[in-house]
Amino acid sequence: MENRFKTAKTPAEAIDRLQSIYDASTERLQTALKAYIEDGTPPDPKARAKHAFAYPELRVTYETEGSPPPVSRAFGKFSEPGVYRLAITQPSLFRDYLEDQLSILQDQYPITIETGPSDEEIAFSYVLDGSQEIDLDKASAADLVRHFPYADLARIDDAVPNGERSPVPGEPRPLALFDAPRVDYSLQRIRHYTGTPYEDVQQFILFTNYHRYVDAFVAWAIRQLKEDNEYESLSAAGFVTVDARTRNPRAAVEGAPWRRFQMPAYHLKAPGGRGITLVNIGVGPSNAKTITDHLAVLRPQCWLMIGHCGGLRHSQRLGDYVLAHAYLRYDRVLDRDLPLEIPVPPIAEIQIALADAVKAVSGDSGEDLKRRLRTGTVATYADRNWELRFHAEARRINQSRAIAVDMESATIAANGFRLRVPYGTLLCVSDKPLHGELKLPGAANLFYQRSVSEHLMAGIETIEILKRDDAAALHSRKLRSFDEPPFR
């Protein structure tokens, strides 16, 4: 191993050194930027060649004679002996995750853990947090790109999670799905789209497509802050945080500039990130793919869609629930990353938790629950006006046996499958487009008043069930291929 790498005895020691390298690199980069802006002094090329601005790198070496022993869990295992590497950004943000993943490997295998500077440099735009008094307007973008490392999108991709990067004999294999440049890119996108710090995103995520769910979630979250539980604060779109000591927290949240953000998010925070995040993704598969592409780098325990849908069966009533167990993918946005012929299986633990949550929240059981909660295929379209091609679409819906139609669920599930994040869908029937019950203002408002709160609480109760049942069991082997990076 190269001299710049040092062996760590424990995962904690390794992460401490990763953080030290990262802090030193960002400080040198900030100092060099300030010098260039103030007097035109470019960074020293020799210093850059010696990894002055480099991300830290984690290397794990597993050497054995023969094949690795069979391990039944979904992650924390090696497919082949060899060297595995990962460039890491912001080690403190990912400390719990990294320590957990390394500990699992160290308990199972005789491994060597090493840390050092990587060959990948931190983009200058990622170290500007407003505290360095650096006025970038004094330099042209072309000059900065010529002298400093920048976010080169030609070098950022999803080749590893997409299964498009074959191992090269003699070269290290990937230790995780996402490397540092990809993670940094997504962290900045999360801030941009949600209007919240990426540090506040919790490990259990709910997606919705109507702001009424946000209102109900905020009201519920504020009540939780005053009760004896694990929840500590609410981080709201517009970069506002309230807690039990905040006077009139509802006004503070509603008064924040959340309308500036495309997909406002709300994080009910708990220690260790075990709280709940709600993201209003709006309508359509493009937003659904965009935000899940980025949230996946934080390796959440799961994400669930709790939105509205059109019911496709005569027997369904407004306010009934649809628990998706399969998806008809007409969303199109993931076709190049996950071909249509790839099945998207249901995650058993989530399916059971969703059904149990509806039963607990609604109070229904037996035949009443069966009439209210229907399991089946959801058709997800990119075109909201698919009904205008009624005859062609009705034939495909009949062939698929779909029971509901929406514009986000298949995208969220398919991207969860692609990016190894457990997923689930619980929809609420808000209209019946094939049967003349369209979503008109009067009926819609009555539906919202009756159904939004109960539906939201079913999603929240699902998360509480998963947390009580130990969420580690969520990470099903059906999300992993035969040749996976060791980290979850």
Side-chain angles (χ1 to χ4, degrees), residues 182-433:
R182 171 67 165 84
V183 172
D184 261 337
Y185 167 71
S186 283
L187 294 181
Q188 300 306 316
R189 295 290 84 195
I190 291 169
R191 284 176 56 89
H192 172 75
Y193 287 118
T194 70
T196 58
Y198 51 79
E199 296 94 337
D200 290 350
V201 175
Q202 301 296 285
Q203 288 293 297
F204 297 87
I205 300 174
L206 296 175
F207 296 114
T208 189
N209 49 13
Y210 283 91
H211 191 80
R212 291 174 187 259
Y213 284 79
V214 171
D215 292 338
F217 181 78
V218 168
W220 176 81
I222 289 173
R223 292 196 299 271
Q224 303 313 299
L225 296 177
K226 298 178 181 180
E227 297 182 4
D228 183 17
N229 55 43
E230 63 180 337
Y231 299 117
E232 299 175 331
S233 63
L234 175 65
S235 171
F239 299 96
V240 168
T241 298
V242 299
D243 57 27
R245 300 181 299 275
T246 304
R247 291 186 178 181
N248 200 350
R250 185 69 179 265
V253 172
E254 291 178 349
W258 59 267
R259 293 174 182 82
R260 298 178 184 175
F261 303 100
Q262 188 170 340
M263 290 177 273
Y266 299 80
H267 316 287
L268 183 59
K269 297 171 63 177
R274 288 182 59 82
I276 303 173
T277 283
L278 176 77
V279 186
N280 179 12
I281 61 175
V283 177
S286 180
N287 274 4
K289 178 183 184 297
T290 296
I291 198 63
T292 49
D293 278 347
H294 299 314
L295 289 171
V297 306
L298 293 171
R299 308 315 297 146
Q301 295 290 331
C302 68
W303 55 47
L304 309 175
M305 179 65 194
I306 52 165
H308 293 167
C309 68
L312 299 177
R313 301 299 174 92
H314 283 289
S315 58
Q316 290 172 306
R317 301 160 299 178
L318 301 190
D320 282 357
Y321 293 117
V322 171
L323 175 55
H325 74 178
Y327 302 89
L328 190 62
R329 293 176 51 201
Y330 292 130
D331 53 322
R332 304 304 182 203
V333 295
L334 277 166
D335 291 2
R336 289 175 296 179
D337 293 316
L338 191 72
L340 285 173
E341 63 267 22
I342 304 300
V344 179
I347 307 299
E349 294 83 1
I350 289 181
Q351 299 296 98
I352 293 170
L354 284 165
D356 289 346
V358 171
K359 181 178 179 180
V361 170
S362 69
D364 295 330
S365 60
E367 288 300 315
D368 290 336
L369 181 63
K370 190 174 181 180
R371 280 191 293 269
R372 183 86 188 279
L373 174 64
R374 186 156 185 165
T375 301
T377 298
V378 172
T380 294
Y381 282 86
D383 179 8
R384 176 59 188 85
N385 297 320
W386 62 271
E387 300 103 319
L388 299 180
R389 300 184 71 254
F390 176 84
H391 294 291
E393 299 307 325
R395 178 173 180 268
R396 288 197 285 186
I397 286 170
N398 276 333
Q399 289 176 327
S400 70
R401 314 300 194 266
I403 64 171
V405 58
D406 80 341
M407 299 186 67
E408 302 86 24
S409 294
T411 312
I412 287 169
N415 226 17
F417 179 80
R418 180 175 79 97
L419 302 176
R420 286 72 159 177
V421 177
Y423 49 85
T425 298
L426 180 69
L427 302 176
C428 191
V429 176
S430 61
D431 62 341
K432 295 170 64 179

Side-chain angles (χ1 to χ4, degrees), residues 93-112:
L93 177 64
F94 294 96
R95 185 178 189 97
D96 290 345
Y97 167 79
L98 293 170
E99 191 161 357
D100 179 63
Q101 299 301 298
L102 285 172
S103 296
I104 292 172
L105 292 174
Q106 193 174 55
D107 289 345
Q108 181 74 38
Y109 302 94
I111 61 173
T112 301

